[in-house]
Amino acid sequence: MAEAPQGKASGVTHKLFVLAILAGSFLLFLVQPMVARMALPKLGGAPAVWNSAMLVYQALLLGGYAYAHWLGRVPVRRQAAIHLGVLAVAALWLPIGLISMNLPADAEPTIWVPWLLVASIGPLFFAIAAQAPLLQRWYSVASGGRDPYALYAASNIGSFGGLITYPILVEPNMALRSQSWMWTGGYALVFLLVAGCALLLPRKSADVPHVVHSSEPPSRRMVLHWIVLALVPSGLMLATTTFLTTDIVAVPLLWVVPLGLYLLSFSVAFSDSRILADLLGKFAPICLLLFGATLISGHHEYAYLNAFIGVMLLFVVSVACHARMYALRPAPDRLTGFYLAMSVGGVLGGVFSALIAPIVFDWTYEYPLLILAAGALVPQVFLFPIIGKLWSGDTQIVRIKVLVVALVVSLLLVAGIRDPFGMGPSAVQFAFLGVAIFGLLSIGKPLAFFASLAAAMFLYGGYQAIQVSAGGDRTRSYFGVYTITDLPDQVRLAHGTTLHGIQLKGAKSRQPTTYYFTKSGVGLAMAAAPELYGPHARIGVVGLGTGTLACYAKPGQQWRIYEIDPAVVRIARDSGKFTFLSQCLPNANIVIGDARLRLAEQGANSLDLLALDAFSSDAVPMHLMTAEAYATYGRVLAPNGLLMVHISNRYLALDPIVAEAARRGGWYAERLYYNPSPDEELVDEAGASDWIALSRDPKVLDRLVARGGEWKVLVPEFGVPGWTDDYASIVPVLRPAKMPWDSDD
């Protein structure tokens, strides 16, 4: 058949299909964070909720790809009719939102999250998810058999656009209800675009190429190769996000960067232009060898530089693996099966990094394992022809030659280095340099390169990580990695890179430290509790940590501590490392679960003082800071109750959010930023802290302020809207990032 759609018609066909694929992918990645925000108040902020939601999305995406693959059995015009019918039926779930249902108080996220999301958006997500492979198949037919794979690049550009647009433009400027109607309008546009694409399909069966498979089916080995090539970048994307936010720097919105670069890697790998994909593929082994080991070293002096290295390494590896998939792609009539295998690999990578790794490992070991897997998968060619000649000849002689060259070069480099940091080359550094040079010389020999990469990672951080694990001083849960450091005079707990508590040893073991020092806002409030509420004060604490606040407890008081992570309870109460609870509150009433949900179950006027100290690494759960959350706190507290809110944060200025919540809820508010003296910091391990005291009774705040401290009235900040369950954005309250070269002054 002559290519009828050439010229103007061909251009119209291409543009329409590109626009339809872009719009569908844009909506797909716009709806994910939108529905997650809608679910927060109902399901809480447990990572199990996010993990379950992510797996639901991946399963629906896999289902959509499987549906597109199945639909390839029928003629394309019948495919179009069926798919338009599916889109029309899914439209019954518009406008998008959560279904109305009352969850049990003890709702299990792994059961209720999939049910809630599938019942709320399942048909819509499923219908849109099938678009990318399905429309590419139609394009091949409508354009007279042109290669449709480049359209997958457009699909991922749309996905990236939706991902970036939500936190930067949509969430800061629109309430959830408005977001829902905007998405509904987008869905209607996609329906019209798909209908337009369907009209371009040939009407006569004789004009429809590739209705039946005309190419050889891929072997099982090839399908498995596709799956593995998709699995490693997918798992590495999640592992990089976890690694950066727990071991490098806990920056809000950081998860957007790895996911965005992962999506962009498809656009580069599947593009008609092969220049960038080929270039990155060639340098992928070098990046793995030089930077894959660097990131697991555990050094945080250059956190932002390490974060940059991490995401760039992810991008390079993803492009290399996806470009290899593109090179192994089948003929267009096998396209849907190819994308189905890719989706299976993506799901398996997500399951490994999001569900299996937190259970099996006590640290982010999935990251180095996936780096090693990438080292085995990325294509390799000798960097220079002379290196290939070096490897030619008898195997034993080759090994000796390459090893000697690596040692000589490393000796020359070490001898010539003028270390700018004054460290001097240690034995480990020398060994790493030798291994790295050997690895560079072995690029093009996969087994030798893999061994070099493994050795480099073991030398430069791997051994240290294994040592800590062997010592039993590290615990991991779905909430992150907790590391205990037992020093001669103190014990420290870190959640990722954020200090979560210090206990001194000896005579000062009951003394509150860090953010809870006696002169901090919460320290003054706890000391004032007997005066404000009598000897039987009812005190609640959100966030257990090491249990430091328990040492403010007095005989006769009733304490209740809310903690979302059972692993933290085990560390504070059962590990034997921290004794705040056993010494000061041995029979502590600890309620496990999301604090907002658990407080909602509690009776009105049942607490006199509530300390809100919930942090995940350095991030504050957003759903605990909305106006509706403060209404819950106000209901639980007595009319003259006191709410203490901890807002110490490196990345968010949360005082305007609390100020607006106080204004809406009729609270009076005072703020105390405490900066300890050098002696308090050195001797007592006191830390800088930022606490806000709120009460609906101004007399309570007056009595608290009178006890000392430089309290200041909290005033709402013009132009910064408060958070609600319907609207919340961290963009207006982000602090400028502090870089390694910034002064501490």
Side-chain angles (χ1 to χ4, degrees):
M1 182 185 75
E3 287 194 16
Q6 286 289 354
K8 181 178 179 182
S10 175
V12 171
T13 298
H14 182 77
K15 290 177 182 177
L16 184 59
F17 274 90
V18 167
L19 184 58
I21 288 178
L22 272 171
S25 298
F26 182 88
L27 288 185
L28 203 62
F29 274 80
L30 195 67
V31 74
Q32 296 182 32
M34 184 189 306
V35 172
R37 276 279 293 110
M38 293 176 179
L40 266 180
K42 184 169 289 191
L43 292 170
V49 172
W50 300 103
N51 291 335
S52 298
M54 180 175 54
L55 290 180
V56 168
Y57 296 143
Q58 289 181 317
L60 289 171
L61 185 67
L62 177 60
Y65 279 24
Y67 154 74
H69 181 62
W70 171 84
L71 213 54
R73 301 168 182 266
V74 302
V76 287
R77 289 191 65 82
R78 192 179 302 172
Q79 292 179 28
I82 293 173
H83 188 59
L84 287 171
V86 170
L87 287 170
V89 171
L92 297 175
W93 273 256
L94 293 172
I96 200 165
L98 296 181
I99 62 172
S100 298
M101 62 180 297
N102 294 319
L103 299 184
D106 57 347
E108 174 58 43
T110 55
I111 297 174
W112 285 101
V113 171
W115 161 248
L116 182 64
L117 293 181
V118 170
S120 299
I121 65 165
L124 292 166
F125 197 98
F126 173 85
I128 294 290
Q131 301 251 121
L134 198 58
L135 289 181
Q136 287 178 70
R137 174 75 179 86
W138 294 0
Y139 173 77
S140 178
V141 173
S143 63
R146 290 186 173 185
D147 189 348
Y149 284 99
L151 292 185
Y152 197 63
S155 170
N156 285 279
I157 290 175
S159 300
F160 178 77
L163 177 70
I164 295 298
T165 298
Y166 186 80
I168 294 178
L169 295 178
V170 175
E171 190 180 41
N173 298 301
M174 300 179 71
L176 286 175
R177 189 176 295 107
S178 299
Q179 295 174 26
S180 177
W181 282 108
M182 178 199 66
W183 200 92
T184 300
Y187 187 86
L189 175 63
V190 166
F191 184 91
L192 294 176
L193 291 171
V194 173
C197 293
L199 292 175
L200 295 176
L201 296 172
R203 294 180 179 276
K204 297 180 181 179
S205 59
D207 294 333
V208 183
H210 311 306
V211 170
V212 295
H213 293 304
S214 57
S215 62
E216 289 294 323
S219 65
R220 291 185 177 179
R221 183 172 183 176
M222 179 61 70
V223 173
L224 181 62
H225 197 178
W226 292 339
I227 292 174
V228 174
L229 284 169
L231 184 154
V232 170
S234 172
L236 189 62
M237 180 267 294
L238 295 173
T240 299
T241 305
T242 301
F243 188 78
L244 293 181
T245 55
T246 58
D247 268 41
I248 301 297
V249 56
V251 178
L253 291 181
L254 185 61
W255 62 272
V256 171
V257 179
L259 181 55
L261 291 176
Y262 169 78
L263 294 173
L264 283 181
S265 72
F266 284 104
S267 299
V268 174
F270 282 67
S271 172
D272 287 335
S273 173
R274 309 307 306 157
I275 297 176
L276 183 58
D278 292 343
L279 181 65
L280 293 178
K282 182 175 182 179
F283 284 98
I286 302 175
C287 294
L288 283 168
L289 190 65
L290 297 182
F291 301 128
T294 301
L295 283 186
I296 67 170
S297 63
H299 300 301
H300 310 295
E301 290 84 355
Y302 303 104
Y304 289 95
L305 177 61
N306 285 342
F308 175 78
I309 291 174
V311 295
M312 287 299 101
L313 182 62
L314 167 67
F315 182 67
V316 171
V317 168
S318 297
V319 169
C321 289
H322 293 150
R324 183 59 179 160
M325 286 188 69
Y326 180 80
L328 299 175
R329 69 194 185 280
D333 62 312
R334 301 283 178 182
L335 176 147
T336 54
F338 172 72
Y339 285 124
L340 180 61
M342 180 189 297
S343 181
V344 170
V347 170
L348 292 177
V351 168
F352 171 67
S353 291
L355 292 184
I356 296 176
I359 296 175
V360 176
F361 304 133
D362 70 345
W363 186 61
T364 51
Y365 282 109
E366 66 273 19
Y367 184 82
L369 289 176
L370 288 165
I371 289 292
L372 286 173
L377 287 174
V378 296
Q380 295 184 31
V381 294
F382 290 115
L383 297 180
F384 303 101
I386 191 173
I387 296 178
K389 294 180 181 179
L390 188 66
W391 281 95
S392 61
D394 181 77
T395 304
Q396 187 70 20
I397 297 175
V398 164
R399 290 173 180 170
I400 294 174
K401 286 195 297 183
V402 174
L403 183 59
V404 169
V405 170
L407 289 174
V408 170
V409 173
S410 60
L411 281 170
L412 291 174
L413 285 175
V414 170
I417 285 177
R418 296 295 181 266
D419 185 11
F421 302 106
M423 296 171 57
S426 66
V428 172
Q429 290 171 319
F430 175 77
F432 174 78
L433 186 59
V435 168
I437 293 173
F438 180 82
L440 290 174
L441 295 174
S442 66
I443 294 176
K445 287 290 184 178
L447 287 178
F449 174 79
F450 183 85
S452 301
L453 180 61
M457 297 178 74
F458 180 79
L459 285 171
Y460 211 69
Y463 176 71
Q464 180 182 4
I466 294 171
Q467 269 190 320
V468 176
S469 293
D473 291 333
R474 189 160 53 207
T475 301
R476 185 176 181 181
S477 72
Y478 284 110
F479 298 82
V481 177
Y482 304 97
T483 304
I484 299 173
T485 305
D486 196 344
L487 302 174
D489 60 337
Q490 60 183 241
V491 187
R492 306 168 71 93
L493 175 67
H495 185 188
T497 60
T498 303
L499 182 67
H500 269 226
I502 295 176
Q503 183 172 20
L504 300 174
K505 294 182 178 180
K508 293 185 176 182
S509 62
R510 292 173 177 254
Q511 177 177 300
T513 57
T514 64
Y515 320 105
Y516 319 104
F517 189 58
T518 53
K519 296 181 182 179
S520 67
V522 74
L524 295 173
M526 290 294 182
E531 175 189 333
L532 295 174
Y533 304 111
H536 303 292
R538 302 163 300 172
I539 296 176
V541 174
V542 175
L544 174 61
T546 58
T548 310
L549 285 177
C551 282
Y552 283 108
K554 304 294 183 184
Q557 291 181 345
Q558 302 173 41
W559 277 61
R560 176 176 291 192
I561 301 174
Y562 301 87
E563 173 55 53
I564 196 171
D565 192 353
V568 172
V569 178
R570 290 192 293 271
I571 290 172
R573 186 179 62 189
D574 307 324
S575 68
K577 297 290 186 179
F578 297 95
T579 60
F580 285 125
L581 283 180
S582 60
Q583 287 183 289
C584 305
L585 200 63
N587 298 315
N589 180 10
I590 300 176
V591 180
I592 297 178
D594 183 87
R596 179 170 168 180
L597 298 179
R598 299 289 82 85
L599 284 167
E601 302 163 9
Q602 195 166 327
N605 303 331
S606 56
L607 291 175
D608 296 310
L609 190 157
L610 177 63
L612 186 62
D613 182 43
F615 285 83
S616 177
S617 190
D618 202 38
V620 179
M622 181 179 288
H623 72 295
L624 298 183
M625 300 292 284
T626 65
E628 291 83 355
Y630 279 87
T632 298
Y633 309 146
R635 185 190 64 83
V636 172
L637 284 167
N640 65 337
L642 181 63
L643 175 64
M644 299 299 303
V645 182
H646 190 191
I647 63 167
S648 303
N649 198 280
R650 289 175 286 183
Y651 307 107
L652 300 178
L654 292 172
D655 49 296
I657 304 301
V658 180
E660 182 60 21
R663 186 191 66 81
R664 293 187 182 191
W667 303 80
Y668 298 90
E670 297 273 354
R671 178 184 182 184
L672 175 60
Y673 177 79
Y674 177 70
N675 194 21
S677 67
D679 284 344
E680 291 171 336
E681 191 171 359
L682 180 64
V683 178
D684 299 320
E685 288 296 340
S689 63
D690 201 351
W691 288 86
I692 296 175
L694 301 97
S695 181
R696 287 172 174 163
D697 185 347
K699 295 179 181 178
V700 169
L701 289 185
D702 291 341
R703 295 172 68 181
L704 174 62
V705 170
R707 295 181 64 90
E710 297 181 5
W711 295 90
K712 295 181 180 179
V713 176
L714 186 66
V715 179
E717 185 174 325
F718 179 76
V720 180
W723 290 350
T724 67
D725 288 346
D726 192 47
Y727 170 85
S729 172
I730 68 170
V731 173
V733 294
L734 280 172
R735 299 183 191 273
K738 183 178 179 181
M739 303 302 290
W741 51 82
D742 289 340
S743 172
D744 290 330
D745 295 337

